[in-house]
């Protein structure tokens, strides 16, 4: 947790030579919600309080909810106290919408109650579900970058309302790759309630990865 940190992340990824074009146009309906409430260098009870408060909102909409708790103490817990919640909603078509919230760093800003954090994170997830699309607002720019770097074929993805970050990112893609996306607004039908949807279409630049696996 900030500001002291002290954690370590091991990231491994296979080397891909080419990125395949994608067609993600039907997000489906939400079928289950999973989450992780985590706490370090605070009372273990805080994670349980976060789970109860978030479930008090989410249980009104769907029965299949499971939020795990993860409490670390001692040398494994890093250098700063804190807690947070990460929620992921999965749809019938296998797309994921996520929301995450963490407490303010020690000595910065007002103290956050676990109950407030749980409720606010649940509302953030409901906001992402309302916005809809096949990718949540945090990862819109990532999927557009991968579409740009894909093979010279058509890729399509249905997104919710574009975030300000994504709009600026599209300008960067135009500057770097001379790629212009075709943007079509899709009004919500009877099946899909929520925000106005945007269908993003582009032809990839055909980027090829030159790196090799080192043995």
């Amino acid at each position: 947790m900030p500001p002291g940190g002290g954690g370590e992340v091991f990231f491994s990824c296979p080397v891909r030579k080419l990125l395949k074009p994608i067609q993600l146009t039907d997000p489906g309906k939400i079928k289950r919600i999973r989450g992780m409430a985590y706490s370090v260098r605070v009372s273990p009870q805080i994670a349980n309080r976060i789970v109860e408060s978030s479930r008090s909102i989410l249980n009104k909409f769907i029965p299949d909810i499971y939020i795990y708790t993860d409490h670390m103490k001692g040398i494994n817990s890093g250098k700063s106290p804190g807690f947070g919640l990460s929620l992921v909603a999965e749809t019938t078509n296998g797309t994921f919408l996520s929301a995450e919230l963490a407490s303010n760093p020690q000595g910065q800003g007002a103290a956050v109650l676990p109950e407030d954090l749980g409720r606010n994170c649940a509302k953030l997830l409901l906001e992402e579900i309302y916005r809809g699309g096949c990718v949540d607002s945090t990862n819109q720019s990532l999927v557009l970058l991968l579409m740009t770097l894909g093979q010279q074929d058509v890729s399509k993805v249905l997104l919710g309302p574009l975030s300000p970050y994504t709009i600026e990112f599209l300008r960067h893609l135009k500057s770097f790759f001379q790629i212009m996306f075709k943007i079509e607004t899709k009004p919500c039908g009877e099946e899909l309630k929520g925000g106005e949807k945007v269908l993003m279409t582009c032809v990839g630049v055909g980027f090829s990865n030159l790196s090799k696996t080192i043995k």
Side-chain angles (χ1 to χ4, degrees):
M1 299 295 291
E8 201 170 19
V9 175
F10 291 95
F11 174 74
S12 63
C13 179
V15 174
R16 296 302 300 265
K17 188 170 176 60
L18 297 169
L19 292 172
K20 294 178 181 176
I22 57 167
Q23 305 285 329
L24 291 174
T25 55
D26 184 8
K29 294 183 176 180
I30 304 298
K31 66 176 180 180
R32 64 174 168 225
I33 295 173
R34 295 291 180 267
M36 173 72 76
Y38 53 90
S39 57
V40 294
R41 293 190 179 271
V42 293
S43 166
Q45 199 56 36
I46 282 183
N48 296 329
R49 289 163 63 185
I50 294 172
V51 172
E52 285 174 24
S53 59
S54 58
R55 286 188 71 106
S56 69
I57 290 178
L58 298 175
N59 277 345
K60 299 173 185 173
F61 302 99
I62 192 169
D64 190 358
I65 299 171
Y66 202 94
I67 303 173
Y68 302 87
T69 57
D70 185 18
H71 176 72
M72 301 296 279
K73 58 186 177 182
I75 196 168
N76 295 325
S77 62
K79 298 174 182 176
S80 295
F83 51 88
L85 175 62
S86 176
L87 292 172
V88 179
E90 185 182 351
T91 72
T92 50
N93 288 353
T95 63
F96 296 89
L97 303 172
S98 65
E100 189 167 4
L101 208 55
S103 58
N104 291 328
Q106 191 178 24
Q108 300 177 26
V112 180
L113 282 173
E115 286 79 11
D116 292 342
L117 184 136
R119 280 191 293 269
N120 290 339
C121 190
K123 289 173 184 174
L124 279 177
L125 183 70
L126 294 177
E127 172 73 18
E128 289 294 348
I129 293 169
Y130 176 82
R131 292 169 71 98
C134 298
V135 184
D136 57 46
S137 59
T138 313
N139 294 303
Q140 284 174 350
S141 56
L142 176 61
V143 75
L144 295 179
L145 174 62
L146 295 175
M147 286 166 66
T148 301
L149 293 172
Q151 295 176 42
Q152 292 179 328
D153 202 349
V154 177
S155 290
K156 292 184 179 183
V157 67
L158 187 72
L159 303 176
L162 299 181
S163 68
Y165 182 94
T166 305
I167 293 167
E168 191 62 37
F169 192 80
L170 284 167
R171 296 188 181 116
H172 290 321
L173 289 177
K174 185 183 176 186
S175 303
F176 279 84
F177 297 104
Q178 286 73 55
I179 284 287
M180 295 271 287
F181 277 79
K182 182 183 176 186
I183 303 174
E184 300 172 78
T185 55
K186 295 278 182 184
C188 287
E190 285 299 311
E191 284 287 302
L192 293 172
K193 301 287 192 294
E196 291 284 304
K197 305 296 184 285
V198 184
L199 183 65
M200 307 290 288
T201 310
C202 83
V203 176
V205 296
F207 181 80
S208 180
N209 188 0
L210 299 175
S211 64
K212 304 252 187 323
T213 306
I214 299 172
K215 293 184 180 178

